[in-house]
Structures are given as structure tokens and as C-alpha cells.
Amino acid sequence: MGFQSSDLEQLQPYWIAHHWIGQVLLRTPELPGIIAVLLWMVLGGVVLINALPALLCSLWFLSRYLLISQAHRLLNNGQYHSAMRLAQTAKSLNPFSADVHWLLGLIALQRNRPRVAIDHLKKACRLDPDDAKLYAALSIALIDLEEPKAAIQYARKALALNPDLFEANMVMSDFAETNEQIEYHLRLAINIARRPVERAFACCALANYLIEIGRRSEAESFLAQVIPLVPACPPASRGQLHYRLGELLTACGKHDMARDQFLLSIKIDPNGPCAANAWRAAALGFIEEHRSRHHQPLASHEVGGTDVITSLEEITSLEEMPSKRRSRSG
């Protein structure tokens, strides 16, 4: 079922989220209880029985905060199932938290479930309609679901709230109508990137655009900027970046370097969204290597045999025994 062009208009905030006070209450529903207990303590004196409810409310808030923080860390490390469990626990403590639904949406995206991600991100936008990052994440999910019109609408909404938002500028570069607009948004994204992972993805996107228009040498200079940035990125992002580097290096004709990037992608994030494609690309790399060395295609009995790796475990362990792999190939 597609999303209509009026989808943004239909995504109305919950009535309580129209005002900042309501947004604070949705974010911290225990706050009224803490304030009431503190007032009771001021009026009735500080005794243990009066302090206990405030302590319980504070522990409730702290537990949610720690669960969300830990789930986000696990997501960045590529531990998607563990992140999902913690995020669901945080949701059970406060089902009206925009941060929890945003996190669940990001996890669903990494697990290749864009429809689930959209449901969570739409709810997050309704719970906190002034947070630009929620609309940007929703636009990315809509791109995965191949709904470009709705994606552009939400990206524009995000930019209206925060013109310097990295993710929204990246989305707008995908749908820019002229080459000048594409390059403008991508170079702007590089300039406003705050973290190494953001700059790395923006440089990859700009390199891809430059390859498409025939400016290959300039594209290679941006790829050279990405490689030293990758180790500073979270593991889940590193897996995607290595895969993207592999694709772009292949387009530049650097097949050996590309194959190494595909193998690194599998090793770092074997359960990530790029793992299957990286496996296939690495296997094709070994086929091409065989053809270039032996000047003939692989025989049918060799495919899946000694010259082409046929299991994820072998590919993942390849880096640990490079000399053995080359001798078997040669």
C-alpha cells in the first residue's frame, strides 16, 4: 500500500503533543509524580516514607534512560536482536516515548523491515512533532520502501525544522533535479557532518555521483578520504561503509581493493543489511581473479570448490590466512 502525497498533512501530532508541556510529559511521564512528592516533602517534612515514591519515580526514569542508551549502543555495534529486546523493554516502561519509537524504527531499518520502521517512526513524529531527526529517519525508511514523493515531503519538513540536518540533506541529494543541486546538497552534507560516520557516507555519495558523470579521478580522491575515517565509525556503519567502498572501487576499476572491502564488510557485520550482497560481490571477485590469472572461466565443479569461497565462515576468516588463499587461487 503506497503513501499518498498528502501523507504529511495526515500525520497530525497527538493532541497532547501540540504544546511543549505535553511533549515534556510524554517524554517523562514520571515527572508529575516526582514534583508532587517533592512538594509533599516540603510541606510534610523529609521522612523515609515520603521520599520512597520520589525514589521509585526516579528509578523508573533512570532505568528507561539506561535501556535506551544501551540499546542505541548495541545498534551501533550491529547487535540488532539485543538492541531490539532492550528497546522493547523501554517501550513497555513508556509506550509514549518518541525516542523509543525512533530507536525501534532505526533497528527495523537495519533488519531490512522498512514497513515496521515506518510505523514506529510515524508514531515518533506524532509524539514529538518538533524533532527534525524523526522526519529525516522517516524519509530514509520511505526511500527503502520506494516511496520517493513521501520521502521528499518528510525530508523537506526536517529541513524546515533544521536546515543543517545531515540526514535530510542526504535524502534531498537523492531527488535533486539538476546536477548542480545534487552536488550542492552532497557538499553541504560533507561540510555539516559532525561525526566521522556522517562524513564518510557523504563522501561515498559524492564519489558515486562523480563516477556517474565521468569525474573518476575526483571521485577517487573522495574515496581516499573515506578509508581513514572508517575505523572511527560504529561497527554496524563500518560494515555498510566497507561494502559501499567495495562497490565504488569496483566502478573505478580497482577490483583487488574492492574485494578486500567486501570481505571486511562481512567480517565486521556478518548479520547486517549488506552482508548477503557483500558475500556475492566477494565471490564474484574471486571468479574474476581466477579468470584474469588462468584466462578461462571456472569449470562447473570448481564453482563452490577451491577457487570460490562458498561459506560465510570461510570468507570471514580469509583475512587471517591471506597467503593460503592466494596460493590456492594461483
Side-chain angles (χ1 to χ4, degrees):
M1 179 179 176
F3 294 89
Q4 304 299 321
S5 59
S6 59
D7 191 54
L8 182 59
E9 298 175 1
Q10 297 172 2
L11 190 64
Q12 295 297 322
Y14 291 108
W15 65 269
I16 194 173
H18 279 286
H19 306 285
W20 69 268
I21 295 178
Q23 294 174 19
V24 170
L25 291 176
L26 288 170
R27 205 174 291 120
T28 54
E30 56 278 303
L31 185 61
I34 295 175
I35 294 175
V37 171
L38 290 176
L39 289 174
W40 180 262
M41 290 169 62
V42 170
L43 296 175
V46 180
V47 294
L48 180 60
I49 194 165
N50 290 340
L52 185 59
L55 180 62
L56 292 175
C57 290
S58 300
L59 288 174
W60 183 21
F61 169 78
L62 183 61
S63 62
R64 284 194 299 105
Y65 174 82
L66 292 175
L67 284 168
I68 293 173
S69 177
Q70 179 69 1
H72 198 271
R73 187 186 69 81
L74 292 171
L75 171 63
N76 286 333
N77 289 336
Q79 298 172 264
Y80 307 120
H81 295 289
S82 298
M84 175 68 74
R85 285 196 297 270
L86 292 184
Q88 290 287 6
T89 303
K91 180 186 173 186
S92 67
L93 294 176
N94 180 14
F96 304 106
S97 169
D99 288 336
V100 168
H101 286 285
W102 170 69
L103 187 57
L104 287 168
L106 296 184
I107 296 170
L109 276 179
Q110 292 298 319
R111 299 176 70 187
N112 292 320
R113 302 177 66 187
R115 290 191 179 276
V116 175
I118 287 170
D119 290 340
H120 283 295
L121 292 169
K122 280 193 168 187
K123 189 163 188 178
C125 290
R126 295 186 67 192
L127 290 166
D128 192 354
D130 297 328
D131 193 339
K133 78 173 185 293
L134 304 180
Y135 294 100
L138 180 53
S139 68
I140 293 171
L142 288 163
I143 290 176
D144 284 0
L145 203 59
E146 298 182 357
E147 294 287 348
K149 291 183 179 179
I152 292 173
Q153 283 188 319
Y154 288 111
R156 287 175 176 165
K157 173 67 174 178
L159 289 174
L161 295 170
N162 182 2
D164 292 332
L165 188 64
F166 171 81
E167 293 85 355
N169 276 287
M170 291 293 290
V171 171
M172 293 305 297
S173 71
D174 285 340
F175 301 106
E177 296 179 355
T178 66
N179 289 345
E180 292 77 10
Q181 290 176 340
I182 295 172
E183 191 163 350
Y184 166 78
H185 281 293
L186 290 175
R187 290 188 182 274
L188 177 60
I190 292 173
N191 291 333
I192 64 178
R194 301 176 185 175
R195 300 178 297 154
V197 63
E198 293 178 350
R199 185 174 181 85
F201 275 113
C203 285
C204 283
L206 182 54
N208 181 64
Y209 163 72
L210 293 171
I211 291 170
E212 289 177 353
I213 63 175
R215 292 156 61 182
R216 181 169 296 183
S217 60
E218 193 175 350
E220 291 178 7
S221 70
F222 279 100
L223 293 179
Q225 295 181 38
V226 174
I227 292 173
L229 292 173
V230 176
C233 300
S237 298
R238 290 209 305 270
Q240 296 179 47
L241 282 168
H242 282 301
Y243 174 72
R244 192 68 180 128
L245 280 168
E247 286 187 316
L248 297 172
L249 288 168
T250 299
C252 291
K254 300 183 180 298
H255 298 287
D256 289 341
M257 294 177 63
R259 187 187 60 202
D260 291 342
Q261 295 296 325
F262 290 134
L263 294 174
L264 285 170
S265 176
I266 299 169
K267 182 176 183 179
I268 290 171
D269 193 10
N271 299 314
C274 299
N277 289 335
W279 184 91
R280 284 190 290 269
L284 288 173
F286 285 112
I287 293 173
E288 292 300 323
E289 180 187 7
H290 182 280
R291 286 174 177 169
S292 64
R293 292 191 179 192
H294 301 284
H295 306 289
Q296 61 181 2
L298 287 172
S300 59
H301 69 275
E302 291 180 298
V303 176
T306 60
D307 287 277
V308 180
I309 294 180
T310 57
S311 70
L312 188 59
E313 290 78 14
E314 290 178 5
I315 287 183
T316 308
S317 63
L318 180 64
E319 281 197 332
E320 300 172 2
M321 45 182 189
S323 58
K324 183 177 179 181
R325 177 64 233 172
R326 291 193 183 96
S327 64
R328 291 169 65 188
S329 300

